[in-house]
Amino acid sequence: MAEVVQKSQEKIPEQDFQENIIFLQPIIGYGVARVLDSSHQNFTKGDLIWGLINWEEYSLIKDTTSLIKIQHTNVPLSYYTGILGMPGMTAYVGFYEICSPKKGDTVFVSAASGAVGQLVGQFAKLFGCYVVGSAGSKEKVDLLKNKFGFDEAFNYKEEQDLDAALKRYFPNGIDIYFENVGGKMLEEVLRNMRLHGRIAVCGMISQYNLDQSEGTRNLFLLVARSIRMEGFLVFHHYHKYPKFLEMVLPLIHEGKIAYVEDTVEGLENAPAALIGLYKGTNVGKQVVTIAHE
Amino acid sequence: MAEVVQKSQEKIPEQDFQENIIFLQPIIGYGVARVLDSSHQNFTKGDLIWGLINWEEYSLIKDTTSLIKIQHTNVPLSYYTGILGMPGMTAYVGFYEICSPKKGDTVFVSAASGAVGQLVGQFAKLFGCYVVGSAGSKEKVDLLKNKFGFDEAFNYKEEQDLDAALKRYFPNGIDIYFENVGGKMLEEVLRNMRLHGRIAVCGMISQYNLDQSEGTRNLFLLVARSIRMEGFLVFHHYHKYPKFLEMVLPLIHEGKIAYVEDTVEGLENAPAALIGLYKGTNVGKQVVTIAHE
């Protein structure tokens, strides 16, 4: 791969290359891979790993900091891109640590059918909370209610008035909001938060592709309701990964937690799958498989 | 007072009174008063108290929940409306508990010359932080630098570009922001927060008199920088008041903490003083004295 980049760079006049930062590299994303050869002491031929790898069939990985060796193979390997990987850890850290949950808390999860949201909702249910999720299609809403065991779910695209929708499901307000979308949704959730509410800010997907982020109103309610709103990055918490596996693997094997993937085959279908994420066409964790045996 | 309200109500047709919520009551605010008579077991004639009282020369106080008996009178009594009262407790709780300060942290305080801001800045300096404050006049900025010992201070009204101003004083970013104003300031502060930054949301004075609150951009940075933003209400923390006095009284007596009040005399000047708060004409804690001996 390094060679390919080098060749492409040669075609670009030096000055253009300096002035315009051009990345001639594959897209990076979380994936599962098998080690074909290694000079790194932690990894040997045949090992399975998950972590940040390139979108390509064969990769030369020089930065191994994100790589974790897979120890448990009695689950689908693709789970290490989701429930057993970064999204799983995100749900775990976000819910148990950032949300400071108490039994009986009312929990709202946006983008609830995504890789992180579906797990947060199930963790919250197992913990003894009342859980409502929002998603962008009937299919996703059905999944939340029938597969993931959310108490209630609604299609935000069909709600004229988000405030009214939230009041319908949370007549006494929201204790915990797991924030994945940002923008208008956050604004309306703030109006419905209870005293001492907690908002774990995991992502704001509605804001990522805007030239300028939208403004969120109602932030003064943070004071009036003594709300804590906290962002977090999962990679600050990877030392807790073994503890996380210890909790989540039995839940998977005992069928106490459900997990849904949306799989496309072949690297050539990966770009469309990525674009689909922002349109919300995927149902569950979006996975791209590139099989090589 | 109760009689006056009754009489006024009688003049309003019952239906109008029901449909339009009309408060025919004096304004309520934090004040210091002497007990002239009492049938409450905790208060006796001659006691000095501070807490929520009416803007009037003589009051009948039925709800005593906010009242605290003054034990230390070797300080100006007006201090119990500020440094030794609700604003002092707000600065104490907000800085020491909500901001989770560490020695060497960089701290930014908006509305820094106000009753709360001036104390937060001084607590932060005593704690070993680097402290910068913003205020709305040259006089206030001078006070911050020369009287309250802030490392730096600036007049936000004279800055064309708040982001540039913050970058000038915080080239490596802000660890702690003590938020008193909201709106545009918060938006720009978010851009300058460091990883694991903390924002104590004490108030958002720029938003109080708007028909609809402004939107704040850049909230996605809460995720990218793992920022905690937390609102609080001081009355949830009043059980810590004795501990607070134990810390702050020696600081006052040893001259280690400065405190500035802006005093007007006479109840008739109180409305103009209140309006002045929102215009920023007061310098330091706004106090209205009504002397009776």
Side-chain angles (χ1 to χ4, degrees):
Chain A
M1 188 56 220
E3 275 187 3
V4 177
V5 173
Q6 197 54 45
K7 276 183 195 155
S8 308
Q9 282 176 13
E10 280 166 14
K11 292 177 197 161
I12 302 163
E14 185 62 19
Q15 200 190 341
D16 277 21
F17 187 73
Q18 293 288 340
E19 289 178 3
N20 305 294
I21 299 165
I22 297 168
F23 295 101
L24 296 167
Q25 291 171 7
I27 291 176
I28 292 170
Y30 280 93
V32 172
R34 186 185 300 278
V35 177
L36 295 182
D37 196 10
S38 166
S39 59
H40 191 290
Q41 58 178 8
N42 293 357
F43 304 99
T44 50
K45 187 179 170 179
D47 281 352
L48 288 163
I49 55 103
W50 72 267
L52 285 170
I53 59 175
N54 294 335
W55 284 27
E56 53 191 355
E57 294 186 57
Y58 296 92
S59 277
L60 174 65
I61 303 178
K62 290 181 175 175
D63 178 2
T64 60
T65 45
S66 84
L67 301 187
I68 295 181
K69 205 190 288 193
I70 293 174
Q71 311 279 1
H72 304 86
T73 54
N74 55 351
V75 285
L77 289 179
S78 59
Y79 278 24
Y80 288 94
T81 65
I83 185 169
L84 296 178
M86 184 275 282
M89 271 296 286
T90 302
Y92 175 75
V93 168
F95 180 68
Y96 291 103
E97 306 214 356
I98 310 294
C99 292
S100 309
K102 293 192 304 292
K103 209 172 164 173
D105 275 350
T106 59
V107 177
F108 177 54
V109 185
S110 57
S113 71
V116 176
Q118 56 177 278
L119 293 173
V120 170
Q122 292 179 88
F123 289 157
K125 279 302 297 174
L126 288 168
F127 198 84
C129 298
Y130 166 81
V131 185
V132 178
S134 67
S137 74
K138 187 184 177 304
E139 189 183 2
K140 292 176 182 180
V141 167
D142 289 346
L143 208 58
L144 291 175
K145 288 202 276 194
N146 303 325
K147 179 105 182 168
F148 301 134
F150 282 55
D151 292 291
E152 295 285 352
F154 65 91
N155 181 348
Y156 70 90
K157 291 179 181 168
E158 285 183 352
E159 299 291 343
Q160 295 287 317
D161 182 341
L162 281 175
D163 178 49
L166 292 168
K167 284 188 168 52
R168 194 163 70 231
Y169 295 112
F170 297 98
N172 299 315
I174 300 167
D175 292 307
I176 290 174
Y177 173 44
F178 199 94
E179 164 70 302
N180 288 306
V181 304
K184 186 75 183 162
M185 181 64 92
L186 174 57
E187 201 166 293
E188 298 305 324
V189 169
L190 279 166
R191 296 171 65 172
N192 287 282
M193 291 298 289
R194 298 182 71 180
L195 195 66
H196 298 302
R198 289 133 276 153
I199 300 176
V201 191
C202 173
M204 292 198 172
I205 199 169
S206 73
Q207 305 296 297
Y208 297 158
N209 290 330
L210 303 177
D211 289 334
Q212 186 174 41
S213 70
E214 291 175 316
T216 298
R217 293 196 184 87
N218 301 335
L219 284 177
F220 63 92
L221 291 170
L222 294 178
V223 185
R225 311 256 176 93
S226 296
I227 295 166
R228 170 163 57 83
M229 183 152 108
E230 187 165 353
F232 67 103
L233 290 170
V234 69
F235 62 76
H236 294 138
H237 300 266
Y238 272 148
H239 55 283
K240 297 160 198 157
Y241 185 63
K243 202 178 144 204
F244 162 66
L245 282 185
E246 213 171 279
M247 184 204 76
V248 80
L249 280 169
L251 292 176
I252 294 172
H253 290 132
E254 293 163 20
K256 288 186 181 159
I257 206 155
Y259 181 60
V260 170
E261 294 176 333
D262 191 330
T263 306
V264 298
E265 295 209 11
L267 197 53
E268 65 278 15
N269 294 315
L274 177 64
I275 292 165
L277 274 184
Y278 293 96
K279 290 184 181 163
T281 50
N282 61 307
V283 176
K285 169 66 182 177
Q286 181 68 66
V287 176
V288 179
T289 58
I290 311 166
H292 281 284
E293 283 307 323
Chain B
M1 189 54 220
E3 276 188 2
V4 177
V5 174
Q6 199 53 45
K7 278 183 195 157
S8 307
Q9 283 175 11
E10 280 167 11
K11 291 177 196 160
I12 301 163
E14 185 63 17
Q15 200 190 344
D16 277 20
F17 187 71
Q18 293 289 339
E19 288 178 3
N20 306 295
I21 299 163
I22 297 167
F23 295 100
L24 295 166
Q25 292 172 6
I27 292 177
I28 292 170
Y30 280 93
V32 171
R34 187 184 300 278
V35 177
L36 295 181
D37 196 9
S38 167
S39 57
H40 191 292
Q41 59 178 5
N42 293 358
F43 305 99
T44 50
K45 187 176 169 179
D47 281 351
L48 289 163
I49 55 103
W50 72 268
L52 285 171
I53 59 175
N54 295 335
W55 283 28
E56 53 191 356
E57 295 185 57
Y58 296 92
S59 278
L60 174 65
I61 302 179
K62 290 181 175 174
D63 178 1
T64 59
T65 46
S66 83
L67 301 187
I68 295 181
K69 205 190 287 194
I70 292 174
Q71 312 280 0
H72 304 87
T73 54
N74 54 351
V75 286
L77 289 179
S78 60
Y79 278 23
Y80 287 94
T81 66
I83 185 168
L84 295 177
M86 184 275 283
M89 270 298 285
T90 302
Y92 175 75
V93 168
F95 180 68
Y96 291 103
E97 307 214 358
I98 310 293
C99 293
S100 310
K102 293 191 304 294
K103 209 172 163 173
D105 274 350
T106 59
V107 177
F108 178 55
V109 185
S110 57
S113 71
V116 176
Q118 57 177 278
L119 294 173
V120 169
Q122 291 180 87
F123 288 157
K125 280 302 296 174
L126 288 168
F127 198 83
C129 298
Y130 165 82
V131 185
V132 178
S134 67
S137 73
K138 186 183 177 305
E139 188 182 1
K140 292 176 183 180
V141 167
D142 289 345
L143 208 58
L144 291 175
K145 289 202 277 195
N146 303 324
K147 178 105 183 170
F148 301 133
F150 282 54
D151 292 290
E152 296 285 353
F154 66 91
N155 181 350
Y156 71 90
K157 291 179 182 168
E158 285 184 354
E159 299 290 342
Q160 294 288 317
D161 182 342
L162 282 175
D163 178 49
L166 292 168
K167 283 188 168 50
R168 192 162 72 232
Y169 296 112
F170 296 98
N172 299 314
I174 300 166
D175 291 306
I176 290 174
Y177 173 44
F178 200 94
E179 164 70 303
N180 288 307
V181 303
K184 186 76 184 160
M185 181 64 93
L186 174 56
E187 201 166 293
E188 298 305 323
V189 169
L190 279 166
R191 296 171 66 171
N192 287 282
M193 290 298 289
R194 297 183 70 179
L195 195 66
H196 299 301
R198 289 133 275 154
I199 301 176
V201 191
C202 173
M204 292 198 172
I205 199 169
S206 72
Q207 304 296 299
Y208 298 158
N209 290 330
L210 304 177
D211 289 334
Q212 185 173 39
S213 70
E214 290 175 314
T216 298
R217 292 195 184 88
N218 302 334
L219 284 177
F220 62 93
L221 291 170
L222 294 178
V223 185
R225 312 258 175 94
S226 296
I227 295 166
R228 169 164 58 82
M229 183 151 109
E230 187 164 352
F232 67 102
L233 290 170
V234 69
F235 61 76
H236 294 138
H237 301 265
Y238 271 147
H239 55 283
K240 297 160 197 159
Y241 185 66
K243 201 178 142 204
F244 162 68
L245 282 186
E246 212 171 278
M247 184 205 77
V248 80
L249 280 168
L251 292 176
I252 293 171
H253 290 132
E254 292 162 21
K256 288 186 181 159
I257 206 155
Y259 180 61
V260 170
E261 295 176 332
D262 191 331
T263 306
V264 300
E265 295 210 11
L267 197 53
E268 65 280 13
N269 294 315
L274 176 64
I275 292 165
L277 274 184
Y278 293 95
K279 290 185 182 162
T281 48
N282 61 308
V283 177
K285 169 66 183 177
Q286 181 68 65
V287 177
V288 179
T289 57
I290 311 166
H292 282 285
E293 283 308 322

